[in-house]
Amino acid sequence: MCLLFCMIARAQMTFTLNGITYDDVAERDSKGFTTVTLPAGTDLSGLITAVSVDGTTVDAAQVTPNPTTTKLNYGELKVFTYNNKAYGFRFEEDVWFCGVFFSDCHINQGDGHDGTSQADMTTIMNNIIAMGKDGTKKVTFTTNPNLTPKTSIIFCLGDIDQDKGDDGSSGTHNNFLSCTADIAKDAGIPFIFIAGNHDLSPDYWTGSDPDYGVTSSGASADKKTLSAITDNNSYWNGVGVFDENIEYFEDNSRSVDFQSKPFTFKFKDVRFYCAHTYWFQKLYKGYYTKLGNLVLSSATYYAPDGVIDALNTFVGSHAEDASVWMQHYPWLSGSDCNRWWLDQNDVGKYIPASGTSDYGSCTSGINYNDPDFANTMKKDPLSDIMMKAAGKVDGKVQHFSGHYHRFDDRTYNNTTNNGSSVHDYTVAANGNTNQTNNAFVVLFKRGEGVKEVIQTKF
């Protein structure tokens, strides 16, 4: 091997690559070898189309073996000889990619919601997209310290702007979209966002005499929020960035009723499961309205059993996929975490779903913020479903959430099955000035899922 090292020329051979800029992927090491690191999934056959030596194009047929026709293999050292000089190359597949997670933008919303202005969100988004492009390491991963992280995909985990839309009532989300989704489209980097409790109507807002359930304006705003999400998803489906397009989990028996439509897709051989407020968001038809102190009930709520059953079936048939999960609500972070999972307001009121349910949406007499009930009826069954999928780290499902407006990092252990654990990374709100950071940068490995998570500020 020493003799081979000694034979390698100090002159430089370079290639023209099919569809790839050579300077972007090739790096020459101190021994004169060149490592060409290609995007995961790149076909090596027909990759090299022309050859240069010290900047001058040469006849590829005069190189031994001919680089344009010889078979290349990932990981194999390949030595090409020209004019009695040897040039060493190794072709590697880039199996690493990075995602950025932020949440709770509350664009232009004040009143203690840690709101972010459109201008600030535009700056944050541009900084996320620019990460690593100038060769500067935004963060250093211990898993792969030589990697300069660049953004491959971006996620926002809900509470995107003011309650129900740009002005708190319209249901449209143009202010949020203009400083996030539109910028991502221009950059060609996939951007996925989900809805939080400020984007989809909860059962109750607050207090003993609340805005009861889905009002007529709330139902309209819900539909506009969902349309914004599905329109954005359709765009990214249409440009072909995913291994498998986004598809939705629905209760087909209630196709005429409103559903929040959680979804899944596959990107760089990792499957992402995306809920909105949470997987147990109830379905409904009609709405509630108020006339003075009188509540006029014309809405019917349904348990999410059909959606959860569809999820269970899908995960079971895709168990080999390395998977990453997300929803707006955390699993453990926040002193009132369990009431969120129980659809309760701050005095324990909730609207039960009609009929029967395997997931606790119809049971009366639920104690306020009852952890046993939240765990047994919702968290435990969901964690059992999630555990079917590959991509766990140290036996834990990898999950991301928002809502809490603060960073947190906890593991939920199933109370009935010791083998089910969910590692939940909760990201802070962009506008929370008490936090020094505002996003997670996540290192993924193709086909394996999450490898490392780091907080940082954009």
Side-chain angles (χ1 to χ4, degrees):
M1 182 61 71
C2 179
L3 291 176
L4 181 59
F5 275 97
C6 295
M7 292 171 58
I8 297 300
R10 297 306 301 177
Q12 189 165 9
M13 176 180 285
T14 60
F15 300 128
T16 300
L17 305 179
N18 183 21
I20 297 172
T21 302
Y22 180 83
D23 288 344
D24 289 345
V25 297
E27 184 175 3
R28 199 175 189 205
D29 69 20
S30 60
K31 295 186 175 74
F33 289 91
T34 298
T35 299
V36 181
T37 305
L38 299 162
T42 300
D43 186 355
L44 295 182
S45 60
L47 175 69
I48 300 173
T49 59
V51 184
S52 296
V53 175
D54 290 339
T56 301
T57 301
V58 300
D59 182 358
Q62 300 302 309
V63 180
T64 305
N66 186 334
T68 64
T69 58
T70 192
K71 183 179 180 181
L72 304 175
N73 297 302
Y74 280 118
E76 175 187 11
L77 175 64
K78 201 77 173 180
V79 178
F80 298 100
T81 304
Y82 177 74
N83 250 0
N84 296 318
K85 294 180 180 179
Y87 303 85
F89 290 85
R90 191 185 303 275
F91 294 86
E92 300 287 355
E93 186 177 28
D94 187 2
V95 296
W96 305 97
F97 67 99
C98 291
V100 176
F101 289 77
F102 59 85
S103 187
D104 295 83
C105 305
H106 291 280
I107 297 297
N108 297 338
Q109 186 172 13
D111 297 327
H113 284 97
D114 297 318
T116 307
S117 70
Q118 286 174 261
D120 285 349
M121 193 65 232
T122 298
T123 299
I124 291 168
M125 198 70 179
N126 283 327
N127 288 342
I128 290 171
I129 287 167
M131 181 174 70
K133 289 185 177 180
D134 63 354
T136 302
K137 289 184 181 181
K138 180 69 174 176
V139 298
T140 298
F141 291 109
T142 58
T143 307
N144 187 348
N146 295 322
L147 178 75
T148 299
K150 298 178 182 178
T151 303
S152 294
I153 190 167
I154 307 167
F155 294 94
C156 176
L157 303 182
D159 282 3
I160 58 180
D161 46 31
Q162 300 184 60
D163 296 343
K164 312 283 196 303
D166 288 339
D167 61 5
S169 64
S170 67
T172 59
H173 300 287
N174 296 327
N175 293 340
F176 167 79
L177 295 172
S178 67
C179 57
T180 56
D182 291 349
I183 295 173
K185 290 175 183 177
D186 289 342
I189 296 178
F191 172 65
I192 298 298
F193 68 96
I194 61 176
N197 58 294
H198 283 264
D199 310 315
L200 292 177
S201 293
D203 290 335
Y204 278 97
W205 279 108
T206 187
S208 59
D209 184 24
D211 181 4
Y212 188 61
V214 181
T215 63
S216 55
S217 61
S220 175
D222 281 356
K223 292 175 182 177
K224 291 177 182 177
T225 296
L226 186 58
S227 292
I229 292 168
T230 54
D231 287 350
N232 181 70
N233 288 351
S234 295
Y235 173 85
W236 293 109
N237 277 348
V239 297
V241 296
F242 300 134
D243 304 345
E244 294 179 13
N245 277 349
I246 291 170
E247 56 182 291
Y248 298 90
F249 297 104
E250 300 180 67
D251 183 345
N252 292 326
S253 70
R254 302 201 178 280
S255 58
V256 299
D257 302 324
F258 178 84
Q259 305 186 44
S260 66
K261 295 185 179 180
F263 55 90
T264 184
F265 63 95
K266 201 170 185 182
F267 179 68
K268 295 185 181 293
D269 205 25
V270 175
R271 179 166 296 284
F272 293 87
Y273 287 98
C274 309
H276 296 292
T277 309
Y278 73 149
W279 286 98
F280 297 93
Q281 190 84 46
K282 291 201 283 278
L283 293 59
Y284 69 83
K285 65 180 178 182
Y287 54 85
Y288 287 98
T289 190
K290 292 183 70 176
L291 181 61
N293 291 324
L294 177 64
V295 176
L296 304 176
S297 174
S298 58
T300 304
Y301 284 81
Y302 299 101
D305 293 48
V307 175
I308 303 301
D309 290 344
L311 172 69
N312 189 21
T313 299
F314 186 93
V315 176
S317 62
H318 294 78
E320 73 284 356
D321 292 346
S323 301
V324 181
W325 298 73
M326 68 199 73
Q327 66 178 33
H328 183 64
Y329 285 162
W331 284 72
L332 292 169
S333 301
S335 59
D336 54 355
C337 174
N338 292 306
R339 79 165 175 87
W340 305 331
W341 285 72
L342 296 172
D343 304 317
Q344 295 174 329
N345 72 351
D346 56 355
V347 294
K349 289 185 176 293
Y350 70 100
I351 301 173
S354 64
T356 59
S357 171
D358 290 333
Y359 303 109
S361 297
C362 311
T363 305
S364 61
I366 304 173
N367 292 330
Y368 175 66
N369 206 9
D370 185 339
D372 292 334
F373 199 94
N375 294 346
T376 303
M377 298 306 298
K378 295 187 177 180
K379 296 180 185 179
D380 288 351
L382 182 57
S383 63
D384 282 338
I385 293 172
M386 296 161 71
M387 282 295 293
K388 294 180 180 180
K392 294 178 281 291
V393 178
D394 296 329
K396 303 180 182 77
V397 173
Q398 301 298 287
H399 188 278
F400 294 86
S401 62
H403 187 68
Y404 185 42
H405 287 210
R406 301 165 182 82
F407 282 101
D408 211 342
D409 177 356
R410 304 194 196 186
T411 295
Y412 176 78
N413 295 307
N414 190 299
T415 62
T416 58
N417 179 0
N418 292 332
S420 294
S421 296
V422 178
H423 190 162
D424 185 29
Y425 297 92
T426 303
V427 64
N430 285 323
N432 185 349
T433 56
N434 292 322
Q435 297 286 324
T436 56
N437 299 315
N438 64 357
F440 285 125
V441 179
V442 181
L443 179 64
F444 296 98
K445 190 173 184 180
R446 185 179 176 92
E448 295 184 19
V450 173
K451 289 301 173 183
E452 195 168 342
V453 180
I454 296 179
Q455 295 178 24
T456 193
K457 189 174 184 65
F458 287 97

